[in-house]
């Protein structure tokens, strides 16, 4: 059944708006299924599977990009004015296509601060930060777009090339301790795999429009950093108390510490039956280190 379903994706064509960290990873995983995938970038890239799209300069994709497209995924954050870059420029165009599925990467920032409590898709969105208010606005615009939309709310994304290893190598890691503070996270491979899993379930009666993709184990940043140092065989610097660290943090970095929540994946993993590749940061970091060793990029 699984193979049959995967084969049924073979002839599909995907556009991924925003070929950044997650967009490129997801594109590569979908290509492995035999699909054509084009990704956008704000600058001209060398490869033929990339096209230019920039909502600010209003540089729109060339017409060929849309030919035969069946699936669209947006990985682009809201514009500064709260408009969705893709919808504000391309809604009409997307509506004119015969799309089977449209995905949107959102954030769990829309839930705001739950003071460390678990949060599910059934809980109301109570965004605290302006950027999360803009995000919720974009979600709502997608939901009322009359497109076959599915929204994925994501916590901190990490994976090969973007993890605590790179922060340590680049010497820009800050080890900060704040009592009872946790962060939820997700390995990029699980974002890609869960999305493919959900696309294959598109005709299921249990179709859900908003789904959290998070791992099983929200925990403190210090615990994750300590484990990263241990894997490298290095000594972690003494953690700085949050009150002392405040003045070292940029306003954007500080804003992440103002929210404390545990993101539940029960809908995805229990109700919809998805099995995580990386259930926790230990499994995810092991994978990141293996890839660092393979590439020998240190
Ligand atoms: N990073 C996280 O921890 C995290 C957590 C939760 C949710 N998210 C959200 O999930 C999505 C993917 O995250 P990511 O970290 O993979 O993103 P990313 O690496 O920052 O990539 C963002 C992509 O959006 C494109 N983009 C940005 N502004 C644009 C505009 N005005 N017009 C056209 N394209 C534009 C960028 O183009 P260029 O390729 O030209 O730069 C890039 O391809 C984003 O919406 C992000 O906000 C991220």
């Amino acid at each position: 059944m699984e193979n049959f379903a995967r084969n049924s994706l073979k002839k599909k064509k995907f556009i991924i708006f925003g070929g950044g960290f997650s967009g490129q990873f997801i594109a590569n995983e979908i290509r492995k299924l035999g699909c054509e995938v084009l990704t956008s970038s704000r600058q001209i890239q060398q490869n033929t599977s990339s096209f230019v799209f920039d909502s600010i300069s209003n540089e729109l994709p060339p017409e060929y990009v849309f030919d035969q497209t069946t699936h669209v995924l947006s990985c682009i954050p809201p514009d500064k004015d709260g408009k969705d870059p893709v919808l504000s420029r391309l809604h009409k165009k997307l509506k004119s296509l015969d799309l089977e599925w449209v995905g949107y990467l959102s954030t769990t920032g829309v839930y705001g601060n739950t003071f460390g409590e678990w949060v599910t898709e059934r809980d109301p969105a109570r965004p605290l930060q302006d950027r999360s208010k803009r995000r919720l606005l974009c979600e709502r615009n997608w939901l009322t777009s009359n497109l076959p939309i599915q929204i994925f709310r994501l916590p901190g994304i990490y994976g090969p090339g973007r993890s605590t290893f790179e922060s340590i190598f680049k010497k820009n890691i800050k080890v900060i301790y704040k009592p009872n503070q946790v962060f939820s996270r997700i390995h990029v491979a699980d974002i890609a795999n869960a999305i493919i899993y959900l696309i294959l379930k598109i005709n299921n009666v249990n179709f859900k429009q908003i789904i959290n993709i998070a791992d099983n184990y929200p925990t403190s940043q210090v615990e994750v950093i300590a484990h990263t140092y241990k894997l490298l065989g290095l000594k972690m610097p003494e953690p700085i108390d949050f009150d002392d660290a405040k003045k070292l943090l940029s306003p954007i970095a500080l804003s992440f510490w103002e929210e404390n929540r545990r993101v539940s994946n029960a809908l995805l993993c229990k109700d919809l039956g998805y099995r995580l590749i990386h259930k926790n940061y230990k499994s995810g970091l092991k994978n990141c280190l293996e890839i660092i060793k393979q590439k020998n990029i240190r």
Side-chain angles (χ1 to χ4, degrees):
M1 175 63 191
E2 176 82 342
N3 274 346
F4 171 77
R6 284 183 174 255
N7 279 339
S8 71
L9 267 187
K10 257 186 188 152
K11 295 218 171 75
K12 306 298 179 184
K13 178 177 166 187
F14 286 69
I15 302 176
I16 297 188
F17 290 103
F21 182 70
S22 309
Q24 283 303 345
F25 196 100
I26 297 166
N28 287 335
E29 292 306 301
I30 294 175
R31 283 187 192 115
K32 288 181 192 166
L33 303 174
C35 304
E36 182 184 358
V37 187
L38 302 181
T39 58
S40 83
S41 169
R42 284 169 293 185
Q43 277 161 4
I44 298 173
Q45 305 292 313
Q46 291 302 325
N47 60 62
T48 51
S49 58
S50 175
F51 63 93
V52 175
F53 169 61
D54 187 335
S55 73
I56 305 298
S57 63
N58 206 19
E59 183 138 10
L60 302 182
E63 200 51 36
Y64 78 86
V65 165
F66 298 101
D67 290 347
Q68 314 288 323
T69 296
T70 51
H71 294 66
V72 166
L73 174 69
S74 174
C75 308
I76 304 182
D79 280 341
K80 285 203 177 72
D81 59 5
K83 291 208 177 98
D84 183 82
V86 176
L87 277 183
S88 66
R89 301 284 180 259
L90 297 166
H91 187 196
K92 245 194 200 153
K93 183 74 216 174
L94 296 184
K95 287 264 294 166
S96 74
L97 307 174
D98 199 11
L99 293 175
E100 295 174 24
W101 176 91
V102 177
Y104 175 63
L105 298 194
S106 179
T107 89
T108 53
V110 296
Y111 293 119
N113 190 4
T114 64
F115 302 92
E117 291 299 320
W118 287 95
V119 66
T120 76
E121 298 84 348
R122 288 188 304 277
D123 292 306
R126 290 201 181 94
L128 190 69
Q129 314 293 340
D130 285 346
R131 64 170 181 280
S132 307
K133 291 176 186 162
R134 292 194 287 272
R135 181 69 75 163
L136 190 60
L137 212 59
C138 289
E139 277 195 3
R140 288 184 176 153
N141 287 336
W142 279 106
L143 288 171
T144 54
S145 64
N146 272 325
L147 291 163
I149 183 72
Q150 195 162 42
I151 290 175
F152 308 104
R153 290 182 173 160
L154 309 171
I157 302 170
Y158 75 103
R162 194 203 270 178
S163 71
T164 35
F165 288 112
E166 282 73 24
S167 306
I168 292 172
F169 299 155
K170 290 178 193 151
K171 299 192 189 326
N172 60 7
I173 199 144
K174 291 189 180 67
V175 190
I176 299 168
Y177 173 71
K178 187 179 178 193
N180 304 317
Q181 172 81 36
V182 296
F183 292 98
S184 296
R185 47 189 71 72
I186 189 69
H187 189 293
V188 69
D190 272 308
I191 303 177
N193 206 38
I195 286 177
I196 292 170
Y197 178 83
L198 291 166
I199 291 174
L200 295 176
K201 273 182 165 289
I202 203 163
N203 293 322
N204 196 301
V205 279
N206 206 9
F207 179 84
K208 300 287 177 201
Q209 242 181 349
I210 299 184
I211 301 171
N212 297 336
I213 308 182
D215 76 13
N216 287 343
Y217 191 69
T219 190
S220 74
Q221 194 59 355
V222 176
E223 184 180 324
V224 177
I225 295 171
H227 187 70
T228 316
Y229 273 99
K230 192 172 148 201
L231 289 174
L232 290 171
L234 298 172
K235 192 174 176 318
M236 182 176 83
E238 266 312 298
I240 313 167
D241 255 16
F242 178 68
D243 284 335
D244 298 326
K246 271 181 188 167
K247 49 186 176 294
L248 305 173
L249 295 172
S250 65
I252 176 99
L254 197 57
S255 71
F256 284 100
W257 290 84
E258 287 169 359
E259 296 180 8
N260 192 10
R261 58 181 172 264
R262 289 178 162 82
V263 177
S264 167
N265 62 19
L267 173 62
L268 175 69
C269 298
K270 290 207 175 95
D271 300 3
L272 299 172
Y274 176 70
R275 287 175 62 180
L276 287 161
I277 302 170
H278 301 293
K279 292 187 170 68
N280 53 44
Y281 72 85
K282 284 192 181 170
S283 164
L285 286 180
K286 184 167 171 270
N287 165 261
C288 295
L289 186 57
E290 279 164 7
I291 290 172
I292 289 169
K293 284 182 178 161
Q294 274 167 25
K295 291 189 174 167
N296 201 12
I297 55 170
R298 245 195 96 177

